[in-house]
Amino acid sequence: MTCQEALRLLYEVINKEASQIDAKKVKEHLHNCRDCMQRYEFEAMFQAFVTEKGNSPCKTEQLKNRILSKINDHETKPLGFFTRYKKYLFLAAGALVVFIALALTISQLYQHNSFVYPFEKSHLDNFATAIPSDNIENLTAVKNYLSSHVQIELRENIVGFKLQNAGFDEILGKKYAHLYFVKDNSHISIFVGNPSDTYLPGFSKISLPDKEIFEHVCAQCRIIYWKHNNAIIIGVTEDKNLEMASMIPLL
Amino acid sequence: MENRNSGNDKKKEKFEAEALVHLDSLYRTALRMTRNEGEAEDLVQETLLKAYRFWDKFEEGSNCRAWLFKIMTNIFINNYRAKSRMPQVIDLEDVDDDFLFGQLSALGPSDNPEQHFFAKVFDDDVKKAVEELPEDFRMVVVLSFLEGFSYQEIAEIAGLQIGTVKSRLHRGRKLLQKALWDYAVKNGFIKEAAR
Ligand SMILES: [Zn+2]
């Protein structure tokens, strides 16, 4: 083993992450090479030093009590309320179910089928044909576009969602970067484009502490969009139960 | 009524014994990530309350600490990270892998500069240097250096590929060494040698 190879594996050996074979080879090298041994000893010392200095004890007694009392609140209050008003709650829930069913039927009559957003369609088409992205040139082009357009760093894993495909789509004659994320049975398409090119009527506004997001539920999908720097970011998913928050940490 | 209460008591006992024991380590990490005591407390509280709500989803026998850190990391990424994230451009081209070792070795063998350096740098300097790392690097550095998670565990906690964990750790370590060296020089513990 050369010095270069030994040094490359140095931290994996220190962190006990190297395979047994690698660790053995590195250690053999260290015993025969004074320079590498000195470096190894120093880096191991640095590791221990940061671990020790960064981990001084902290006072968490108050926080613990606060959390425990919140847990107690959580358990006692809803229970008391629930047992006292059980009957009415069931009645109210029943009425709510009927109301929602009616509302859904009516809204379907009026809203769905009338217009399928091209973003929705593109997402669903892509869903049917999605293949793992191994086109690095394409990925680089998308990354460049994102960093110049919205100043975001494309991450290949977002709260468990994995980037499966990235490319460009033309929607109503305009160019959008299309990122396709997958997790278990959920799929998310993220489109990034120019706000001035994008016309999205019929959305309702949701204000989050640091962002304004617009949402629309269509026939098969839920679409949200928000603006960031010079771009519009559009998220599309067919999983209507997906937590909104999990779709936005792209930024 | 009584049955339900005793069931809850059992759940609470188990939660205290298996999850709440990690409070210190969660808080420490939250503090390094948010750099603010109030936010760190809120983040830890949110994490543990969420864990309690989903306690029946936690698989007994699996790694509770890693599970809690995963919940916390998700909440942090979604709600706490710097509001307007600019691209993190870090120029490390001119920092060698053996930067700190090289600087200290250049000071000469006689006065044992490594020992001197490690003895002089304070806890607070290390914490500050960690807190000043760019967020992506800070996360893996904290999880590895301070919390001792394995590369694989970090990959799962932070939702990263294992290769990304390794490269961020590598760069984070370089940045940390550079920052600590700068502190030592600035505070006069060490006189910079011409290299
Ligand atoms: Zn060597």
Side-chain angles (χ1 to χ4, degrees):
Chain A
M1 180 173 264
T2 63
C3 289
Q4 206 187 3
E5 285 168 328
L7 292 177
R8 198 174 52 79
L9 289 166
L10 207 56
Y11 266 98
E12 296 192 19
V13 173
I14 291 171
N15 288 333
K16 301 191 171 54
E17 297 273 353
S19 69
Q20 277 192 344
I21 303 167
D22 281 347
K24 194 163 167 271
K25 279 190 203 158
V26 171
K27 286 196 172 141
E28 271 169 21
H29 178 88
L30 294 178
H31 284 295
N32 297 316
C33 176
R34 196 166 160 268
D35 285 352
C36 286
M37 187 53 136
Q38 280 188 339
R39 172 86 193 284
Y40 172 85
E41 282 172 348
F42 173 78
E43 298 293 348
M45 212 148 66
F46 178 77
Q47 175 88 20
F49 163 78
V50 173
T51 305
E52 188 207 314
K53 297 276 176 175
N55 269 346
S56 50
C58 41
K59 296 185 204 99
T60 50
E61 201 53 39
Q62 269 190 330
L63 179 59
K64 184 174 175 181
N65 291 334
R66 204 170 90 190
I67 291 168
L68 280 172
S69 82
K70 288 256 176 196
I71 286 176
N72 285 334
D73 282 359
H74 168 81
E75 245 144 36
T76 49
K77 273 188 200 147
L79 183 69
F81 180 83
F82 184 73
T83 41
R84 214 177 315 159
Y85 298 108
K86 209 194 237 164
K87 228 194 285 177
Y88 304 104
L89 279 174
F90 278 126
L91 271 175
L96 193 65
V97 167
V98 173
F99 177 77
I100 290 173
L102 264 174
L104 277 179
T105 322
I106 291 169
S107 71
Q108 257 178 6
L109 281 177
Y110 282 92
Q111 182 185 21
H112 296 157
N113 305 328
S114 60
F115 183 62
V116 174
Y117 275 103
F119 294 99
E120 177 179 6
K121 191 172 177 315
S122 178
H123 163 75
L124 292 169
D125 288 350
N126 200 296
F127 169 30
T129 57
I131 43 148
S133 167
D134 50 9
N135 189 337
I136 299 301
E137 259 172 283
N138 218 9
L139 188 62
T140 312
V142 172
K143 280 183 176 171
N144 288 341
Y145 176 81
L146 292 179
S147 63
S148 66
H149 214 65
V150 252
Q151 286 106 52
I152 60 177
E153 177 199 1
L154 175 57
R155 298 194 293 137
E156 297 186 13
N157 270 293
I158 295 174
V159 285
F161 280 85
K162 208 170 165 324
L163 183 67
Q164 183 155 352
N165 215 337
F168 293 98
D169 265 4
E170 204 180 275
I171 295 167
L172 299 175
K174 308 290 179 191
K175 179 184 167 184
Y176 291 87
H178 186 173
L179 315 168
Y180 189 75
F181 289 92
V182 177
K183 174 179 158 185
D184 304 327
N185 293 319
S186 293
H187 312 261
I188 297 176
S189 276
I190 307 271
F191 297 92
V192 181
N194 267 324
S196 56
D197 290 346
T198 311
Y199 177 61
L200 292 167
F203 275 64
S204 48
K205 184 155 104 182
I206 308 164
S207 291
L208 297 183
D210 57 333
K211 250 194 211 80
E212 273 189 344
I213 290 184
F214 298 82
E215 180 184 45
H216 182 76
V217 179
C218 317
Q220 300 187 59
C221 288
R222 193 161 65 114
I223 303 184
I224 61 167
Y225 76 84
W226 67 97
K227 290 188 179 150
H228 181 77
N229 294 350
N230 295 321
I232 187 165
I233 299 175
I234 301 154
V236 186
T237 177
E238 77 275 17
D239 182 354
K240 289 177 188 169
N241 297 320
L242 208 61
E243 241 184 89
M244 178 77 69
S246 66
M247 296 179 70
I248 54 177
L250 182 69
L251 305 180
Chain B
M1 189 83 183
E2 232 159 59
N3 269 340
R4 179 169 174 150
N5 269 340
S6 74
N8 274 339
D9 284 347
K10 263 202 195 116
K11 178 181 169 188
K12 222 161 29 189
E13 252 171 51
K14 239 170 121 43
F15 186 75
E16 271 201 71
E18 286 175 40
L20 271 182
V21 289
H22 301 299
L23 180 66
D24 279 16
S25 119
L26 288 166
Y27 178 70
R28 225 160 35 205
T29 298
L31 202 53
R32 297 287 92 79
M33 291 312 296
T34 60
R35 303 188 278 204
N36 173 305
E37 283 181 18
E39 279 196 2
E41 286 189 4
D42 289 349
L43 174 57
V44 170
Q45 177 174 318
E46 210 179 323
T47 302
L48 284 163
L49 292 180
K50 189 162 187 184
Y52 188 73
R53 277 205 306 279
F54 290 98
W55 189 238
D56 52 332
K57 296 239 172 21
F58 169 66
E59 282 169 46
E60 219 168 312
S62 61
N63 187 342
C64 183
R65 191 161 161 264
W67 182 65
L68 293 170
F69 271 82
K70 193 178 166 74
I71 295 175
M72 186 161 86
T73 307
N74 274 344
I75 297 176
F76 175 79
I77 290 173
N78 286 339
N79 303 334
Y80 287 80
R81 73 152 76 204
K83 299 277 187 284
S84 60
R85 249 168 73 86
M86 295 306 280
Q88 301 182 315
V89 183
I90 293 116
D91 188 15
L92 274 176
E93 292 309 305
D94 58 339
V95 181
D96 290 333
D97 279 0
D98 64 345
F99 172 79
L100 187 56
F101 179 67
Q103 293 284 7
L104 291 170
S105 306
L107 297 176
S110 53
D111 49 352
N112 207 345
E114 289 96 342
Q115 293 297 346
H116 191 64
F117 174 84
F118 287 132
K120 279 284 183 182
V121 175
F122 291 119
D123 296 14
D124 284 348
D125 296 334
V126 175
K127 285 176 192 153
K128 197 156 167 259
V130 170
E131 285 180 7
E132 281 171 2
L133 290 173
E135 212 169 81
D136 290 342
F137 299 107
R138 199 182 337 141
M139 177 106 65
V140 294
V141 164
V142 168
L143 294 174
S144 170
F145 276 82
L146 304 189
E147 300 303 334
F149 283 113
S150 72
Y151 296 172
Q152 182 59 42
E153 283 169 330
I154 297 172
E156 276 160 29
I157 290 169
L160 299 167
Q161 309 272 9
I162 202 153
T164 313
V165 172
K166 280 191 212 172
S167 71
R168 286 193 186 171
L169 208 47
H170 185 79
R171 286 163 53 115
R173 186 184 298 121
K174 278 213 271 183
L175 287 169
L176 198 56
Q177 292 196 345
K178 175 95 173 58
L180 288 171
W181 170 258
D182 291 346
Y183 280 127
V185 171
K186 204 177 83 192
N187 294 329
F189 305 148
I190 259 160
K191 285 200 185 73
E192 196 164 8
R195 218 188 154 198

